[in-house]
């Protein structure tokens, strides 16, 4: 849909378009909603009075498949734009991670001020964060949004916030790495809130809460401690050994009933 030279628009109900373009100057005033699924553009020299919700421009970022709907402002914008969002390159990970934030409004007259909040209630402006994107290192749960203003009007808007989740990475596992069949050893970790599992219970089992390993059959396996969060786990390799047995000889051999004493001589160690 294209508005050429300024148009007073009052269509019936909601008009849905792929692109919306204001060109060749003039002032356009909207008094009914226009839903934009791709890009709305206001050229330099054009003035758009977008009205107030629900009679305004709505970027359909709320619909599956159209999260990239955007607005480009090079002219004058007044009123309300719905569907302004905060995008993040990553929103969750195990341990600290980097995420680049962006929004879906741009243009030569747009100004940005990024803000953060620990609770999505109280936001604080981030010093120097005035570009169209902002890259942050996440070390705890946090929300971000951006305050949008323009250089040529009193227009201001706040994008919908994005939550960046944080899950602490588990510490390293300590403890013995070998056990005999039928024996027990303990896995130790300073982290809490996780669950122990054995990759091969036929070789060794482990208490899901205690971390106590019991040897079942000779072989190698891995014990895993998993905490909440994506790929939040750590492992430790375990070897289960067969029970030792002593090698010995008896003299005399064979022994007859009532034939006297018998001497047992140990061999060269355990087998």
């Amino acid at each position: 849909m294209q508005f050429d030279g300024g148009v007073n628009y009052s269509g019936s109900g909601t008009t849905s378009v792929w692109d919306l373009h204001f060109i060749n100057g003039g002032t356009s005033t909207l008094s009914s909603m226009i839903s934009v699924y791709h890009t709305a553009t206001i050229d330099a020299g054009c003035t758009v009075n977008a009205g107030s919700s629900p009679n305004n421009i709505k970027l359909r970022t709320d619909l599956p498949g159209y999260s990239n709907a955007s607005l480009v402002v090079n002219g004058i914008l007044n009123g309300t734009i719905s569907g302004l969002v905060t995008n993040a390159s990553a929103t969750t990970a195990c341990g600290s991670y980097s995420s680049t934030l962006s929004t879906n409004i741009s243009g030569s007259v747009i100004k940005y001020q990024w803000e953060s909040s620990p609770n999505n209630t109280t936001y604080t402006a981030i010093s120097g964060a005035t570009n169209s994107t902002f890259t942050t290192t996440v070390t705890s749960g946090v929300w971000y949004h951006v305050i949008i203003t323009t250089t040529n009007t009193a227009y201001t808007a706040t994008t919908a916030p994005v939550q960046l989740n944080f899950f602490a990475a588990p510490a390293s596992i300590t403890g013995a790495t070998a056990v005999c069949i039928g024996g027990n050893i303990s896995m130790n970790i300073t982290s809490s809130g996780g669950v122990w599992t054995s990759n091969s219970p036929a070789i060794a089992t482990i208490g899901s809460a205690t971390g106590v390993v019991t040897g079942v059959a000779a072989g190698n396996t891995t014990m895993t401690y998993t905490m909440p969060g994506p790929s939040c786990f750590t492992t430790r390799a375990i070897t289960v050994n067969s029970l030792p047995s002593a090698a010995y000889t008896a003299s005399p051999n064979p022994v007859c009933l009532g034939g006297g004493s018998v001497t047992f001589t140990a061999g060269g160690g355990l087998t």
Side-chain angles (χ1 to χ4, degrees), residues 48-121:
V48 175
N49 297 317
S52 58
S53 182
N55 298 319
N56 63 334
I57 297 173
K58 184 172 185 177
L59 305 175
R60 297 316 305 260
T61 52
D62 57 315
L63 297 178
Y66 301 100
S67 60
N68 292 325
S70 62
L71 172 65
V72 180
V73 183
N74 297 312
I76 294 175
L77 172 63
N78 298 299
T80 303
I81 303 296
S82 299
L84 297 179
V85 296
T86 309
N87 300 309
S89 61
T91 59
T92 187
C94 185
S96 62
Y97 63 98
S98 177
S99 184
T100 297
L101 309 174
S102 61
T103 185
N104 59 334
I105 181 171
S106 62
S108 60
V109 302
I110 298 297
K111 298 171 63 178
Y112 307 89
Q113 176 59 65
W114 291 94
E115 297 186 336
S116 66
S117 171
N119 54 18
N120 198 27
T121 299

Side-chain angles (χ1 to χ4, degrees), residues 175-254:
T177 57
V179 63
C180 288
I181 295 174
N184 296 317
I185 57 175
S186 293
M187 299 290 96
N188 304 305
I189 194 167
T190 57
S191 302
S192 61
V195 176
W196 293 99
T197 55
S198 171
N199 286 20
S200 301
I203 294 176
T205 62
I206 188 168
S208 60
T210 64
V212 175
V213 176
T214 301
V216 176
N220 299 309
T221 185
T222 300
M223 299 302 158
T224 301
Y225 187 78
T226 304
M227 295 177 62
S231 301
C232 268
F233 65 88
T234 186
T235 62
R236 190 167 179 84
I238 298 296
T239 299
V240 179
N241 297 312
S242 299
L243 289 171
S245 60
Y248 63 90
T249 59
S251 180
N253 187 15

